[in-house]
Amino acid sequence: MRNFLGKSVAVGAIAMLALTACGSGRDGDSSSSGGDSGSTKGFAANSLIGVALPAKTSENWVLAGDLFTSGLKEAGFQSDVQYAGASTTVADQQAQITSMTTKGAKVIVIGATDAAQLSTQVAAAHAAGAKVIAYDRLILNTADLDYYVAFDNFKVGQLQGQALLDGMKKKKPNGPYTIELFAGSPDDNNAGVFFNGAMDVLKPEIDKGNVVVGSGQKDVKQVAIQGWKAEGAQARMDQLLTSTYGSKTLDGVLSPNDTLARAIIQSVKSAGKPVPVVTGQDSEVESVKSIMNGEQYMTINKDTRNLVKETINMVKSLQAGSDPQINDTKSYNNGTKVVPTYLLPPVAVTKDNAAEAYANDPTLGPLTKK
Ligand code: BGC
């Protein structure tokens, strides 16, 4: 595994800090055209659209595959929707993208399994005339990526950091608070952006001494969980409990998503300790239940239905020969170019607003009824 975490984080961080520093809104740029406008000519309405997704590391990816299959069909396209395998994910995804290119896909939508290892396949797709859209996760170091569509990842991190502070204050009005930090997989560009967003909120409190990282492990490289694996998070939490929390109380844990949050909670419970305030992301069924039971503190709602819908809208625009709608031309520098982006707003969800947040969700809504 190439270690490019520092690089991908730096890309996200610089782009995001620049945005914060200049004080412009996150979707302040409402330009409606992006990419190489002028060269877009459209293509046949029943063309093949490729969708290459990563391993099913969280429920959102499972749902995305189903929604792409049905949504592209409904829009009149042929589709080829593939997941990278659970173990050899990088090679799998590279081969899938190459095969989609060979089959003549006009657009290839990619949820990258490793942000830094797809530039060769993306270049070949582009050279064959396909447009390439990065879905949810940015693809690094390529000029051949046309668009990026995602929830605002930096905002996700900020919401998690703020909720962690709020949750701890609710339980215990005065600090200092002792926390631990976790981040997602180093090969996923989002992991660094989520972490930077959270640290944007937490670092000032850490610097003031209001919040203390018990283990002292504050660097994203020390706290990242390879492959977003629950086992990895549980093992790290087990270790932290043994090394640092013999008698000390753990008030909160920054967890980047729900899968890891549940593993962290499991570890703490197995050790017979009280469950701290734990953040999450994705609104997974088991985590929403846990929030309603007062265990996990919060999650983030990133409605996959909306993300897939926006992506299919981009495909439809490209088919018609027009420029897809974008709303951000600054935040995502992939190391080679600033990628024209469409960002959707994430929503923080605790027990307090769950019923409202999931009112239109047929699966999650019923879980929030008292
Ligand atoms: C997604 C998260 C998800 C994680 C693990 C990230 O790239 O943005 O929603 O929890 O991958 O699957």
Side-chain angles (χ1 to χ4, degrees):
M1 168 71 52
R2 272 175 58 196
N3 182 356
F4 70 97
L5 186 66
K7 180 160 195 182
S8 70
V9 168
V11 168
I14 290 163
M16 292 305 166
L17 287 177
L19 186 69
T20 312
C22 70
S24 55
R26 303 208 54 73
D27 47 7
D29 185 334
S30 57
S31 142
S32 65
S33 69
D36 37 2
S37 57
S39 69
T40 321
K41 302 248 168 30
F43 47 82
N46 65 347
S47 295
L48 178 69
I49 310 299
V51 181
L53 297 172
K56 298 176 180 176
T57 42
S58 41
E59 280 170 13
N60 53 326
W61 296 113
V62 180
L63 185 57
D66 294 345
L67 292 171
F68 272 118
T69 302
S70 57
L72 287 168
K73 186 167 183 212
E74 202 174 300
F77 297 108
Q78 300 172 62
S79 73
D80 181 10
V81 179
Q82 301 286 342
Y83 284 96
S87 52
T88 57
T89 49
V90 176
D92 262 11
Q93 190 167 60
Q94 290 170 337
Q96 286 161 353
I97 296 167
T98 302
S99 151
M100 289 167 189
T101 303
T102 311
K103 285 193 246 168
K106 293 297 182 202
V107 180
I108 303 183
V109 174
I110 303 172
T113 193
D114 186 324
Q117 304 220 39
L118 295 177
S119 53
T120 307
Q121 291 70 29
V122 168
H126 207 81
K131 295 283 178 190
V132 182
I133 301 175
Y135 171 87
D136 190 84
R137 299 174 171 179
L138 190 61
I139 300 172
L140 298 178
N141 308 327
T142 168
D144 296 302
L145 177 62
D146 295 290
Y147 300 98
Y148 179 40
V149 54
F151 281 90
D152 185 335
N153 300 302
F154 192 75
K155 182 81 192 168
V156 167
Q158 287 179 315
L159 293 173
Q160 291 171 329
Q162 190 56 52
L164 182 61
L165 296 178
D166 295 347
M168 292 191 299
K169 210 172 164 66
K170 255 196 216 168
K171 264 191 165 171
K172 188 173 99 173
N174 296 306
Y177 302 99
T178 303
I179 66 166
E180 289 299 334
L181 306 169
F182 282 72
S185 191
D187 48 17
D188 175 357
N189 188 66
N190 283 355
V193 184
F194 296 148
F195 188 76
N196 288 343
M199 289 309 269
D200 182 55
V201 176
L202 296 175
K203 187 160 180 305
E205 296 305 311
I206 294 172
D207 290 346
K208 279 188 258 172
N210 294 342
V211 170
V212 178
V213 179
S215 66
Q217 297 178 14
K218 288 180 249 182
D219 190 293
V220 68
K221 288 189 185 120
Q222 295 174 298
V223 308
I225 301 296
Q226 185 64 47
W228 291 97
K229 293 244 163 70
E231 311 86 272
Q234 190 158 348
R236 177 163 182 261
M237 193 68 236
D238 287 349
Q239 246 164 27
L240 289 169
L241 290 172
T242 312
S243 65
T244 313
Y245 296 94
S247 55
K248 214 190 276 184
T249 304
L250 176 63
D251 296 306
V253 179
L254 174 76
S255 164
N257 82 354
D258 286 349
T259 306
L260 304 198
R262 294 195 304 275
I264 290 162
I265 291 171
Q266 184 56 48
S267 163
V268 175
K269 284 167 78 173
S270 304
K273 310 247 179 216
V275 175
V277 174
V278 182
T279 61
Q281 165 175 209
D282 293 335
S283 299
E284 297 205 331
V285 169
E286 289 309 315
S287 283
V288 172
K289 285 185 190 163
S290 172
I291 289 170
M292 296 318 287
N293 291 336
E295 221 158 51
Q296 185 175 323
Y297 180 65
M298 66 85 72
T299 186
I300 300 280
N301 193 17
K302 303 194 303 185
D303 195 327
T304 303
R305 295 170 300 175
N306 294 340
L307 194 59
V308 170
K309 198 170 89 198
E310 288 305 336
T311 312
I312 294 179
N313 283 343
M314 277 192 175
V315 174
K316 285 181 183 165
S317 298
L318 292 168
Q319 187 278 318
S322 50
D323 292 322
Q325 196 186 353
I326 56 166
N327 59 13
D328 184 292
T329 52
K330 331 183 165 85
S331 302
Y332 285 93
N333 184 331
N334 77 348
T336 305
K337 74 186 245 193
V338 178
V339 184
T341 297
Y342 191 89
L343 289 180
L344 288 90
V347 176
V349 183
T350 63
K351 194 174 179 175
D352 293 343
N353 68 338
E356 186 197 338
Y358 304 128
N360 298 321
D361 191 309
T363 311
L364 302 177
L367 302 178
T368 65
K369 298 279 179 300
K370 301 265 149 55

